[in-house]
């Protein structure tokens, strides 16, 4: 199991739905959930969300995930959504529409399977990028705290077992395991604002300090602890 994976977020007899795109992060998530399943009894379902924007490339990624699930003996489901239609109807960017539809699709499977837990593959780099993105757009204290390991979506508990693991560590883990993964070509385009942060800004910050991701995450944790402490004191 990769160092830093928060297996304690999953309990015996939980039902877990994992969102898996076929990229390095989500493949790592799936492998670690399968390893954990060997020592803990829980149901595991893998879901691939097909966004309707990449044509055959997206379908090919879905087949990759399905084949991986077959080798790992994991239940597989594919959910198709129409991102361009949602974006046009609600005046959203494709990036925003894809995120909303992806969560809707994943949460629908959690309810179908009566699972209770939704596992996603956000990592430390994602969290650092999110914090920077919030700062650029303008945010209060909440935006500086970054993502949480676990949050509630109605009756569903959303967990991020890899939130404190860097993307570099994830890629090294997969290389050691001899496990391949797919790369979404849209992630390599700087057309999307989040991609621009990932591709252009973060590499420059890492040149200044190669522990930039770690420091951004630790700063967010300190802000969260202070905020929670002060909020609790205010309610006394």
């Amino acid at each position: 199991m990769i160092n830093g994976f928060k297996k304690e977020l999953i309990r015996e007899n939980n039902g877990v739905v994992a969102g898996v795109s076929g990229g390095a992060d989500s493949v790592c998530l799936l492998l670690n959930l399968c390893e954990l399943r060997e020592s803990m009894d829980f149901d595991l379902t893998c879901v691939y969300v097909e966004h309707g924007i990449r044509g055959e490339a997206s379908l090919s990624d879905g087949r990759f995930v399905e084949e991986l699930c077959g080798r790992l003996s994991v239940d597989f489901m594919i959910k198709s959504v129409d991102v361009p239609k949602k974006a046009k109807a609600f005046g959203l960017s494709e990036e925003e529409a894809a995120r909303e539809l992806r969560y809707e699709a994943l949460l629908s499977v959690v309810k179908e399977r009566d699972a209770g837990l939704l596992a996603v593959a956000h990592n430390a780099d994602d969290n650092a990028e999110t914090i920077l993105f919030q700062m650029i757009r303008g945010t209060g204290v909440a935006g500086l705290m970054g993502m949480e390991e676990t949050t509630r979506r109605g009756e569903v508990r959303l967990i991020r077992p890899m939130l404190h693991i860097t993307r570099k560590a994830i890629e090294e883990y997969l290389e050691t395991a001899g496990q391949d993964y797919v790369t979404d070509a849209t992630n390599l385009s700087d057309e999307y604002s989040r991609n621009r942060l990932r591709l252009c800004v973060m590499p420059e910050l890492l040149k200044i300090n190669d522990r930039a991701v770690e420091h951004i995450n630790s700063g967010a944790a300190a802000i969260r602890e202070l905020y929670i402490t002060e909020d609790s004191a205010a309610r006394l």
Side-chain angles (χ1 to χ4, degrees), residues 160-228:
R160 300 181 173 94
M162 305 198 307
L163 190 59
H164 305 294
I165 305 172
T166 64
R167 189 169 292 129
K168 179 181 178 182
I170 289 168
E171 292 173 353
E172 289 174 349
Y173 170 84
L174 293 176
E175 182 177 1
T176 299
Q179 175 61 58
D180 57 349
Y181 52 89
V182 298
T183 300
D184 183 341
T186 61
N187 289 336
L188 303 177
S189 168
D190 63 5
E191 177 183 351
Y192 300 111
S193 53
R194 285 294 298 260
N195 283 4
R196 202 169 303 128
L197 269 174
R198 179 179 301 119
L199 298 172
C200 305
V201 177
M202 290 304 299
E204 292 301 317
L205 294 180
L206 289 168
K207 287 178 183 177
I208 296 172
N209 189 320
D210 60 7
R211 296 177 63 191
V213 169
E214 176 188 340
H215 291 164
I216 293 171
N217 275 271
S218 61
I223 292 172
R224 179 179 299 281
E225 184 177 353
L226 180 62
Y227 180 80
I228 292 173

Side-chain angles (χ1 to χ4, degrees), residues 66-132:
E66 184 174 13
E67 290 169 5
L68 177 59
C69 286
R71 295 201 302 273
L72 296 171
S73 299
V74 175
D75 287 342
F76 171 80
M77 292 183 67
I78 183 168
K79 286 284 187 177
S80 297
V81 298
D82 191 336
V83 169
K85 181 179 179 180
K86 170 93 172 184
K88 183 177 181 180
F90 292 91
L92 303 172
S93 67
E94 284 197 345
E95 188 177 20
E96 292 170 322
R99 182 180 182 279
E100 288 188 8
L101 287 173
R102 182 164 57 251
Y103 275 112
E104 286 176 13
L106 293 171
L107 289 169
S108 72
V109 176
V110 175
K111 293 176 182 177
E112 287 172 24
R113 294 298 177 98
D114 193 24
L117 286 184
L118 171 59
V120 293
H122 292 131
N123 60 46
D125 292 63
D126 293 326
N127 198 32
E129 291 159 11
T130 295
I131 293 164
L132 290 175

Side-chain angles (χ1 to χ4, degrees), residues 1 5-16 32-44 117 157 159:
M1 183 166 292
F5 188 85
K6 290 299 186 75
K7 61 183 181 181
E8 60 269 24
L9 295 177
I10 301 167
R11 302 184 186 95
E12 196 86 17
N13 299 317
N14 278 159
V16 181
N32 280 269
L33 287 172
C34 286
E35 183 177 343
L36 181 59
R37 193 175 55 167
E38 293 175 4
S39 60
M40 182 184 294
D41 183 25
F42 62 90
D43 293 326
L44 177 60
L117 286 184
R157 190 159 61 93
I159 60 172

